[in-house]
Amino acid sequence: MLSTTRAVRKRLDFERPVPESVLRECIELAVQAPTASNMQTWHFVLVTERDNIEAIAGLYRRGFEAYVRGPTLADRTAGDGRSTGGRFVGGDRIWAAQQQRVIDSAVYLAENMHRSPVLLIPCVTTRSERPTDVVAEGGSVVQAAWSFMLAARERGLGTCWTTLHLAYEREAAEILELPYEKVRQFALIPVAYTIGTDFKPANRGGIEDVISWNRWSR
Ligand SMILES: Cc1cc2nc3c(=O)[nH]c(=O)nc-3n(C[C@H](O)[C@H](O)[C@H](O)COP(=O)(O)O)c2cc1C
C-alpha cells in the first residue's frame, strides 16, 4: 500500500457519499502519529456541507489559477537540478511525460474540487513564528495527515494533498469560522471513494541519487 498511495484526482468518485463513521476511523488512526513534545496540536476540519465545500474549492481554484500563471515550483527546481535540490535535470523524457500527466490531473482537480463529498483541512492549533517551532508543528500535523491518507486508502478512499488554497488562508478561516490567529491550516485534501482500486507505483528514479552515506555526496 505504501508504494501505491497516489495523489488521486481524476479517479475520485464525486457521486458516492463517504460515511462519517469511515472518516472517524481514519482520524482515530491519524491521531496515533507522533507529535513534537507529544503536544498533539493537531486539528482536522472535515468539510461536508456543500456551501462550504464550494467556497473552499473556489479559493483553491483561485490559488491554482495564480499558480498556473506564475513560475511553478517545477520551473524553479527543474532549471538546475543540482543547485536547487530538484532531481531531474532537463531533458528527461519519462519525467516530462509524468509531469504532463500531473498537470492534466491537477487541472482536472482544480475544475472539480467543488464536487468532492469531503474536504479535509489538517491544522495545527498554534501559529508560531520561530522557524524551529514552525518546522516542529508542520512535522506534527503532516505525519498524522499522511496516516489519515493511508487509512483512507485502506478503506477504498482516494486523497490528494494540496496547498494552493493557502494563498487565501485567511478567507478560508473565515468560511470555516476558524480562529486564524491561533490555528494554521496546512493543506486541503479532497476525500472520496476511488473509481477502481488498482493503483501502481510511480516512477521515482533510483534511490542512489537521493542517498548520502555519512557525508553529503551529491
Ligand atoms: C507539499 C505538497 C503540496 C502539494 N500541492 C498540490 C496542489 O496544490 N495541487 C495538486 O493537485 N497536487 C498537489 N500536491 C500533490 C503532488 O502533485 C503529488 O504528490 C505529486 O505529483 C506526486 O504524485 P503521486 O504521489 O501520485 O506520484 C502536493 C503535494 C505535496 C507533498
Side-chain angles (χ1 to χ4, degrees):
M1 191 175 65
L2 282 172
S3 67
T4 55
T5 301
R6 299 267 70 77
V8 184
R9 305 183 186 88
K10 287 187 174 175
R11 289 173 60 188
L12 295 171
D13 185 346
F14 296 127
E15 309 307 324
R16 187 170 163 197
V18 179
E20 209 176 288
S21 59
V22 176
L23 297 168
R24 287 182 189 282
E25 280 174 23
C26 297
I27 299 286
E28 286 285 358
L29 291 164
V31 297
Q32 292 295 322
T35 46
S37 304
N38 192 29
M39 290 301 285
Q40 301 171 41
T41 48
W42 43 44
H43 196 94
F44 303 91
V45 181
L46 288 158
V47 189
T48 56
E49 290 175 359
R50 200 48 30 215
D51 286 357
N52 278 1
I53 288 175
E54 285 175 10
I56 298 290
L59 296 180
Y60 179 78
R61 198 162 45 244
R62 266 164 65 193
F64 185 80
E65 283 161 5
Y67 173 81
V68 169
R69 281 195 304 271
T72 65
L73 181 62
D75 290 338
R76 293 198 296 274
T77 55
D80 178 357
R82 266 180 297 255
S83 64
T84 59
R87 292 186 56 194
F88 300 92
V89 181
D92 183 318
R93 286 201 348 260
I94 296 170
W95 181 72
Q98 188 173 310
Q99 283 307 89
Q100 192 53 52
R101 281 198 299 277
V102 172
I103 292 165
D104 290 349
S105 163
V107 168
Y108 175 84
L109 181 63
E111 288 172 353
N112 290 279
M113 174 91 86
H114 64 283
R115 298 170 60 205
S116 305
V118 183
L119 297 177
L120 165 65
I121 302 178
C123 302
V124 281
T125 53
T126 43
R127 184 176 284 279
S128 304
E129 298 301 332
R130 277 177 48 187
T132 48
D133 291 345
V134 172
V135 171
E137 289 165 2
S140 297
V141 72
V142 166
Q143 302 190 56
W146 180 239
S147 289
F148 178 101
M149 291 162 81
L150 292 171
R153 171 81 204 286
E154 215 169 35
R155 288 159 180 74
L157 296 161
T159 56
C160 179
W161 188 282
T162 80
T163 44
L164 294 171
H165 89 289
L166 293 174
Y168 309 102
E169 187 191 351
R170 200 181 274 276
E171 286 166 72
E174 278 167 26
I175 292 165
L176 303 168
E177 298 175 33
L178 166 167
Y180 173 86
E181 309 299 339
K182 296 190 199 145
V183 175
R184 193 191 296 275
Q185 300 163 51
F186 257 83
L188 168 62
I189 304 175
V191 182
Y193 281 101
T194 55
I195 300 168
T197 51
D198 56 317
F199 290 91
K200 299 190 186 74
N203 184 338
R204 290 285 196 252
I207 62 168
E208 295 310 326
D209 291 346
V210 293
I211 299 176
S212 293
W213 296 103
N214 302 309
R215 55 190 60 79
W216 188 256
S217 59
R218 263 196 92 175

